[in-house]
Amino acid sequence: MRRAVVAWAMAYGGLRIWFATGHAPTWKLPGNDLLIPPWLAVAGCAITALAAITIRDERDLRHKQGLRGQRLGGRVWAARLFWVLAAGWVAAAAFILLDVVAAVLPGLGIPFDPLGMLCRVGAILGAVLLGLTAKAHQSEAKPWPHWIATLGACLAVAGCLTRLAAQAAVGFGTTPYGGDLSLILFEGGFMLVGTLLPFLLVHPVGRRFPRWMLLVPGFTLGAAMTAYFGVGLIQMVVAVAQGKPVYGDVGLPDAFFWVAVPAYVVWGVGLTLASRGYQFATRKDTDSERDLHIMNS
């Protein structure tokens, strides 16, 4: 898997160098295809490749380190580094959430940029490879208490309801999206992801569903919202520090964004926690332990 990470870093790094030297196309979404400067993306590819090359895999640790404590320490350190790199690439490609919404619901009027989406998918591919590499360096998973998953579900619902309250405060007619069937489907999915999905992830009735039916949307949407709106929240803080307006071109008061964006972050984090708890709660005795690794704290 480390070789795959190195190959990805070299290939994707070559693309980033091409873009950084003035050959990038015109993107339909604001800014670049990634939410980081071009040369920072190049540096990220170089760091990713160096990490994959220099860190020994778990088999090396088993054969070459004599003490169990040293072996575990090396695995934990490597896993954390790979997870940090994976999270960084997901955050950089946070616009992938808009790509998915624009592709599935074109009537909303969100610009759809196929080339930009492919570039972001490339970054997500690297994050997946890094995640798989991180799992190979982790010790056996230990399920966490059920209350953590329940707390996550409560946070997800609270984030959804807070986001709705923020919209109600400024008026539901101020949404920039179109008003056709796509908007109805979007709002219906919005409510399901914010209420029914968290409930099913922690209630016994959710265990009657195939695992993938809840885990796929739970993890995917949870990670996507956390990354996209987490980056947005950082941008808001930076804008305020620089004395600039927060999303001044949207036509909504700043207070709306200071409520709505953190609510989305809480929603995403809660959904991810609930999904992880559901994964533990529904695992079978024959499940691979390696498939259920979590990061040691």
Side-chain angles (χ1 to χ4, degrees):
M1 187 56 65
R2 292 191 306 150
R3 293 180 180 178
V5 172
V6 174
W8 170 84
M10 294 179 63
Y12 198 64
L15 177 66
R16 304 316 310 182
I17 292 175
W18 178 257
F19 287 166
T21 52
H23 299 90
T26 301
W27 310 109
K28 293 184 179 180
L29 291 174
N32 301 313
D33 57 329
L34 299 181
L35 296 178
I36 54 177
W39 283 110
L40 184 57
V42 174
C45 291
I47 294 172
T48 299
L50 287 175
I53 292 172
T54 57
I55 294 178
R56 294 174 293 177
D57 60 23
E58 187 175 352
R59 290 175 298 178
D60 292 335
L61 290 168
R62 286 176 177 173
H63 291 300
K64 296 182 180 180
Q65 292 184 346
L67 297 177
R68 174 178 171 83
Q70 294 176 337
R71 185 166 65 246
L72 290 176
R75 288 201 307 235
V76 170
W77 180 84
R80 287 176 175 172
L81 176 60
F82 285 128
W83 278 124
V84 168
L85 290 172
W89 284 113
V90 171
F95 270 162
I96 194 70
L97 180 60
L98 292 183
D99 294 327
V100 174
V101 175
V104 175
L105 300 172
L108 291 178
I110 299 176
F112 179 61
D113 187 357
L115 183 57
M117 183 183 70
L118 287 176
C119 294
R120 287 183 279 272
V121 169
I124 296 298
L125 174 61
V128 171
L129 293 175
L130 284 164
L132 294 174
T133 305
K135 289 172 64 177
H137 287 79
Q138 288 181 316
S139 57
E140 293 184 356
K142 295 181 179 179
W144 52 36
H146 180 69
W147 67 264
I148 297 180
T150 303
L151 175 62
C154 293
L155 289 175
V157 175
C160 175
L161 296 180
T162 302
R163 171 62 181 85
L164 287 175
Q167 189 65 51
V170 298
F172 289 97
T174 59
T175 175
Y177 304 131
D180 59 1
L181 179 61
S182 295
L183 180 59
I184 297 176
L185 294 175
F186 175 79
E187 292 177 343
F190 182 97
M191 292 302 301
L192 291 176
V193 173
T195 56
L196 182 60
L197 180 57
F199 171 78
L200 292 177
L201 286 171
V202 296
H203 194 274
V205 71
R207 302 179 188 181
R208 301 179 183 179
F209 292 83
R211 295 179 77 197
W212 64 267
M213 189 175 294
L214 299 182
L215 286 178
V216 170
F219 275 127
T220 303
L221 295 175
M225 284 194 293
T226 302
Y228 179 77
F229 292 102
V231 171
L233 184 58
I234 294 174
Q235 291 175 331
M236 290 168 57
V237 173
V238 172
V240 171
Q242 296 176 344
K244 299 179 180 179
V246 177
Y247 301 123
D249 57 339
V250 180
L252 292 173
D254 287 357
F256 168 79
F257 295 103
W258 285 113
V259 174
V261 175
Y264 273 123
V265 175
V266 171
W267 185 354
V269 171
L271 200 57
T272 303
L273 291 176
S275 299
R276 187 58 170 167
Y278 179 82
Q279 184 183 26
F280 280 128
T282 57
R283 70 177 180 178
K284 300 178 182 179
D285 294 337
T286 56
D287 282 352
S288 171
E289 287 292 329
R290 186 171 299 280
D291 182 53
L292 295 171
H293 288 321
I294 59 174
M295 293 185 63
N296 293 316
S297 58

